[in-house]
């Protein structure tokens, strides 16, 4: 079991409050991701769950037991950090089994658990190597293996892929997803990369200024954002937002902002039935897609995603057509109007 509950959790550094009364239920076996801009409190919240930061107010529960005041070693959680923190003079095998050795576990047990972790992480062929002889992705797998052998109730990942290049990040995302399916353990994962969040999470927790803005599956957050912040944070390119003062529309009474995602806009020659007209400023070719950035005057710059076979170029005058069913409306406070 590895369910975790946060009950009105707060964190203060002196007079500064960085975590502002968070309530959250994390289910047993769930892979949940904390995501948000730098300084939103996601790593601080993870460290509080791990016991590396004191909880100023509120409770942290693990399987119904209050662990708020327990030290990290008593919480039955394993943490994987952004830095690999491997012992350079030890082999992969010795690094993975180090925590068991220091705990005085029998050698046979250590060998069995290290071997099992190596099989899961595909490290069997590297057990005699030192960290300096490994790639970044292999080093991170060793760090994960060190966490696995402890057989914790949950795993905590603090931006584990941020030190890797783009290709390795894609590979390691697959490894983390496969690991979660294999171990069926609770995992809490912190990242600033919303692509990682969208591709890995069972549920995403979007944080801003120490508060939860929305919790939901990747599809729920993408298709039904609760507010303007989530609407523009989740999705790449981000959702287009047009103020009512800059464009008239047939939206609900009180709506002050219209949001529409780039893939729900189509381009044509300027025409009377176009929602907006503008000029293509920048055309980004990505192979399968084009991203067009269209100057629409008072309505601002609108991003449009089109097929890579499009023949439009920078400087073209275009009309923009919206899929009306895919429009989102927000009130003056930025809250979604369903």
């Amino acid at each position: 079991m590895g369910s975790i509950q946060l009950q009105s959790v707060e964190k203060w550094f002196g007079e500064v409050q960085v975590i502002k009364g968070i309530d959250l239920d994390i289910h047993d076996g769930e892979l949940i991701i904390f995501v948000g801009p730098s300084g939103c409190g996601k790593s601080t919240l993870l460290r509080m769950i791990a016991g590396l930061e004191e909880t100023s107010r509120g409770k942290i529960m693990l399987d119904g037991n209050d662990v708020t005041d327990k030290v990290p070693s008593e919480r039955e959680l394993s943490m994987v950090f952004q830095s690999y923190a491997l012992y350079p003079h030890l082999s992969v095998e010795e690094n993975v089994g180090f925590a068991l050795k220091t705990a005085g576990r029998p050698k046979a047990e250590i060998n069995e658990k290290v071997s099992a972790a190596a099989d899961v992480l595909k490290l069997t062929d590297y057990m005699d190597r030192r960290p300096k002889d490994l790639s970044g992705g292999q080093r991170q797998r060793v760090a994960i293996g060190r966490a696995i052998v402890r057989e914790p109730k949950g795993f905590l990942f603090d931006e584990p892929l941020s030190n890797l290049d783009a290709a390795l990040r894609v590979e390691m995302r697959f490894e983390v997803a496969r690991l979660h399916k294999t171990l069926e353990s609770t995992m809490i994962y912190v990242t600033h990369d919303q692509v990682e969040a969208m591709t890995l999470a069972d549920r995403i927790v979007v944080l801003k200024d120490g508060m939860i803005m929305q919790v939901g599956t990747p599809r729920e957050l993408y298709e039904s954002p609760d507010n303007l912040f989530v609407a523009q944070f989740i999705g790449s390119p981000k959702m287009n937002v047009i103020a009512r003062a800059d464009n008239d529309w047939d939206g609900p009474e009180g709506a002050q902002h219209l949001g529409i995602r780039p893939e729900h806009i189509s381009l044509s020659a300027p025409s009377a039935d176009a929602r907006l007209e503008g000029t293509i400023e920048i055309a980004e070719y990505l192979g399968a897609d084009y991203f067009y950035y269209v100057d629409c005057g008072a309505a601002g710059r609108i991003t449009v995603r089109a097929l890579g076979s499009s023949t439009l170029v920078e400087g073209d005058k275009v009309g923009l057509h919206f899929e009306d069913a895919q429009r989102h409306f927000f009130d003056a406070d930025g809250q979604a109007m369903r």
Side-chain angles (χ1 to χ4, degrees):
M1 297 291 289
S3 63
I4 299 170
Q5 295 81 39
L6 307 182
Q7 301 176 356
S8 302
V9 168
E10 298 182 14
K11 178 63 181 177
W12 293 74
F13 290 107
E15 298 297 317
V16 179
Q17 186 179 14
V18 294
I19 300 295
K20 302 174 182 177
I22 285 181
D23 292 288
L24 180 65
D25 284 343
I26 299 169
H27 308 139
D28 180 39
E30 186 173 32
L31 199 169
I32 196 160
I33 292 188
F34 296 165
V35 70
S38 296
C40 70
K42 54 188 182 293
S43 288
T44 299
L45 187 59
L46 188 77
R47 291 172 64 84
M48 291 167 66
I49 294 170
L52 300 175
E53 293 282 0
E54 289 185 1
T55 300
S56 303
R57 293 175 187 163
K59 290 184 179 180
I60 298 175
M61 312 290 288
L62 177 61
D63 287 340
N65 299 311
D66 189 349
V67 298
T68 310
D69 297 321
K70 289 189 175 182
V71 297
S73 60
E74 297 175 335
R75 297 196 181 196
E76 299 182 83
L77 299 170
S78 283
M79 191 156 180
V80 178
F81 296 91
Q82 179 177 344
S83 60
Y84 317 124
L86 302 178
Y87 296 104
H89 62 290
L90 300 181
S91 67
V92 168
E93 183 175 11
E94 291 167 332
N95 266 285
V96 172
F98 186 80
L100 298 178
K101 183 178 180 180
T102 56
R105 295 289 184 79
K107 188 173 182 180
E109 179 186 348
I110 295 174
N111 291 339
E112 180 182 349
K113 290 185 176 180
V114 169
S115 178
D119 287 341
V120 169
L121 295 166
K122 302 193 184 313
L123 288 171
T124 306
D125 294 337
Y126 309 104
M127 299 301 276
D128 295 329
R129 294 191 187 182
R130 298 287 190 271
K132 66 181 178 64
D133 300 319
L134 303 175
S135 69
Q138 290 164 344
R139 292 177 193 175
Q140 193 57 278
R141 292 210 300 270
V142 174
I144 294 171
R146 188 171 51 192
I148 287 175
V149 296
R150 294 180 55 200
E151 298 182 341
K153 290 187 175 181
F155 295 88
L156 311 178
F157 294 89
D158 189 8
E159 301 199 38
L161 311 186
S162 59
N163 287 336
L164 305 179
D165 62 35
L168 274 177
R169 281 202 301 273
V170 173
E171 179 183 330
M172 283 304 299
R173 281 208 306 267
F174 172 81
E175 295 290 346
V176 172
R178 186 176 59 82
L179 182 67
H180 179 242
K181 286 181 172 60
T182 300
L183 299 179
E184 298 181 342
S185 296
T186 305
M187 294 184 177
I188 307 176
Y189 188 110
V190 164
T191 182
H192 63 276
D193 184 344
Q194 54 106 359
V195 174
E196 280 181 28
M198 292 289 285
T199 55
L200 284 174
D202 293 324
R203 286 192 299 156
I204 298 173
V205 179
V206 182
L207 293 160
K208 179 188 177 189
D209 299 332
M211 297 182 290
I212 292 178
M213 304 305 290
Q214 188 173 354
V215 181
T217 66
R219 184 178 293 274
E220 288 170 348
L221 267 58
Y222 191 81
E223 296 183 353
S224 301
D226 281 350
N227 49 66
L228 274 173
F229 177 79
V230 174
Q232 293 198 288
F233 190 83
I234 298 295
S236 181
K238 66 181 181 180
M239 180 183 287
N240 297 293
V241 175
I242 304 169
R244 173 149 233 158
D246 299 326
N247 186 249
D248 193 22
W249 61 65
D250 53 339
E253 184 178 353
Q256 297 300 312
H257 303 276
L258 180 153
I260 188 160
R261 296 208 177 272
E263 64 268 26
H264 298 141
I265 304 173
S266 58
L267 298 177
S268 71
S271 62
D273 64 341
R275 178 74 63 172
L276 292 170
E277 291 187 1
T279 303
I280 296 176
E281 287 187 299
I282 299 292
E284 293 181 344
Y285 178 66
L286 282 77
D289 296 315
Y290 257 114
F291 292 161
Y292 289 114
Y293 300 90
V294 184
D295 180 1
C296 294
R301 182 182 295 113
I302 303 296
T303 306
V304 180
R305 173 180 274 156
L307 292 176
S309 57
S310 173
T311 57
L312 294 170
V313 296
E314 294 171 6
D316 282 352
K317 304 289 186 181
V318 292
L320 286 75
H321 304 264
F322 297 177
E323 295 181 29
D324 287 348
Q326 301 297 335
R327 294 178 300 167
H328 301 261
F329 295 96
F330 304 89
D331 64 19
D333 296 324
Q335 298 303 304
M337 303 178 70
R338 305 300 187 199

